[in-house]
């Protein structure tokens, strides 16, 4: 039996996203949040000499090998506002990380079995991916006061296949509201073409860097964005061409989420995609 009834399938096809409240229970959310906190603590213990900032408004991260090489690793990326001018932390270390990526789904003893639950691949298959391949995972903290903005984008910009197939599963692990940086999306915006592509290109000194190729520089119709305010435990499925964003979190409450991205194994995955997932994870 398909995990998507005809009403939900039609809603996803119409809007480019689908909100499924109550998909996870409180215990699931808590286990993932606690595991992320443990990974953060280990990061500060082991890698405090190598902080890397992640911010979509700051392209420096794109040139960082730390980012480009994270496709088959578990790495922490600091918030842009977590560091003082002298490089020291200006917030508590448990509030300093922007995200953990990008192979939790394969390598982490807690996140991997969660990510590989058959029901998730079934959901993505019902959304149209005949051969779902789980390519990427991210834990996003959206920490109080400094949780960074994610500018309006299409996920296919970053995870391109020919034809486009990337599909996201975004799990709210805490309540997400406007004030703490919930998702916003343009209903039906997935019916437009891909506007840009972020690619790996040769950089100076033989190291790769990231570069964005823009096909259409028309500003996004931001007035059409609607907030996806959801309680903890909600799953939001996102089409790879759907324009979406999230605002900075200036509230005192975090807005943790876990995101998985799938592609269709039948589609071509170009060698110049930034993400190199390592040995194939196979059908999810
Ligand atoms: Fe996204």
């Amino acid at each position: 039996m398909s995990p998507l009834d005809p009403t939900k399938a039609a809603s996803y096809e119409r809007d480019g996203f689908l909100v499924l409240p109550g998909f996870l229970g409180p215990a699931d959310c808590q286990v993932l949040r606690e595991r992320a906190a443990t990974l953060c603590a280990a990061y500060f213990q082991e890698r405090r000499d190598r902080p890397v900032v992640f911010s979509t408004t700051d392209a420096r991260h794109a040139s960082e090998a730390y980012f480009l090489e994270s496709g088959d690793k578990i790495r922490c990326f600091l918030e842009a506002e977590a560091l003082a001018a002298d490089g020291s932390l200006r917030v508590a270390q448990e509030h300093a990380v922007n995200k953990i990526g990008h192979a939790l789904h394969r390598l982490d003893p807690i996140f991997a079995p969660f990510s590989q639950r058959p029901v998730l691949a079934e959901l993505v298959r019902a959304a149209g991916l005949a051969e779902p391949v789980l390519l990427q995972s991210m834990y996003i903290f959206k920490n109080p006061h400094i949780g960074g903005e994610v500018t309006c984008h299409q996920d296919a910009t970053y995870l391109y296949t020919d034809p486009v197939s990337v599909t996201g599963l975004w799990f709210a692990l805490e309540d997400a509201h406007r004030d703490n940086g919930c998702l916003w999306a343009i209903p039906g915006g997935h019916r437009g073409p891909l506007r840009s592509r972020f690619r790996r290109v040769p950089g100076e000194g033989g190291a790769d860097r990231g570069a964005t190729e823009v096909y259409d520089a028309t500003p996004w119709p931001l007035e059409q964005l609607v907030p996806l305010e959801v309680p903890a435990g909600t799953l939001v499925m996102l089409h790879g061409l759907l324009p979406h964003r999230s605002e900075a979190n200036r509230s005192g409450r975090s807005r943790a989420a876990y995101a998985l991205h799938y592609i269709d194994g039948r589609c071509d995955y170009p060698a110049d995609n930034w993400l190199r997932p390592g040995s194939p994870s196979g059908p999810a």
Side-chain angles (χ1 to χ4, degrees):
M1 192 176 81
S2 171
L4 284 186
D5 65 39
T7 305
K8 289 188 175 71
S11 171
Y12 178 71
E13 197 170 321
R14 181 190 68 229
D15 295 332
F17 62 85
L18 182 65
V19 177
L20 298 171
F23 194 88
L24 300 181
D28 276 328
C29 296
Q30 185 178 348
V31 164
L32 298 185
R33 290 201 313 267
E34 288 177 356
R35 179 60 183 167
T38 299
L39 291 171
C40 270
Y43 164 77
F44 283 109
Q45 193 66 33
E46 297 166 11
R47 308 202 60 154
R48 72 186 98 185
D49 56 327
R50 225 181 133 187
V52 171
V53 174
F54 178 83
S55 165
T56 56
T57 56
D58 178 347
R60 278 178 300 165
H61 78 275
S63 63
E64 293 274 357
Y66 185 77
F67 174 75
L68 290 176
E69 293 170 3
S70 66
D72 60 351
K73 299 177 182 67
I74 295 175
R75 288 186 163 175
C76 290
F77 298 85
L78 294 183
E79 280 290 356
E81 295 182 25
L83 294 175
D86 65 358
S88 62
L89 282 183
R90 52 178 288 276
V91 297
Q93 72 180 36
E94 57 267 31
H95 288 163
V97 174
N98 171 287
K99 71 171 184 176
I100 306 173
H102 290 91
L104 291 160
H105 63 288
R106 287 174 50 205
L107 303 177
D108 185 78
I110 301 296
F111 281 98
F114 171 84
S115 308
Q116 293 169 20
R117 289 180 183 180
V119 65
L120 302 181
E122 284 305 314
L123 195 58
V124 172
R125 193 174 283 115
L129 275 64
E131 296 175 17
V133 175
L134 178 51
L135 194 65
Q136 172 186 271
S137 49
M138 291 189 290
Y139 185 98
I140 304 144
F141 288 85
K142 211 74 163 182
N143 273 312
H145 307 299
I146 65 164
E149 171 191 16
V150 177
T151 56
C152 196
H153 67 281
Q154 298 165 302
D155 287 342
T157 290
Y158 300 98
L159 296 174
Y160 180 75
T161 60
D162 184 13
V164 167
S165 64
V166 64
T167 301
L169 298 182
W170 187 96
F171 302 90
L173 303 181
E174 294 177 302
D175 295 346
H177 295 290
R178 286 172 222 229
D179 65 341
N180 68 345
C182 71
L183 288 175
W184 293 67
I186 298 177
H190 64 302
R191 289 194 283 272
L194 184 63
R195 296 266 191 110
S196 64
R197 217 192 122 199
F198 181 78
R199 297 190 303 124
R200 180 186 284 264
V201 297
E204 292 176 17
D208 285 351
R209 64 182 179 86
T212 301
E213 192 175 4
V214 177
Y215 309 124
D216 181 350
T218 310
W220 291 109
L222 299 179
E223 70 284 357
Q224 295 178 23
L225 286 161
V226 300
L228 306 183
E229 295 187 293
V230 297
T234 301
L235 169 57
V236 183
M237 185 161 64
L238 299 159
H239 189 284
L241 290 174
L242 181 76
H244 61 285
R245 66 169 298 202
S246 66
E247 294 180 345
N249 181 9
R250 299 302 179 197
S251 80
R253 292 181 306 128
S254 56
R255 192 235 63 190
Y258 182 53
L260 298 172
H261 285 100
Y262 297 77
I263 57 169
D264 194 326
R266 299 172 306 173
C267 302
D268 178 54
Y269 187 80
D272 63 354
N273 270 356
W274 82 265
L275 185 134
R276 289 180 175 162
S279 56
S281 56

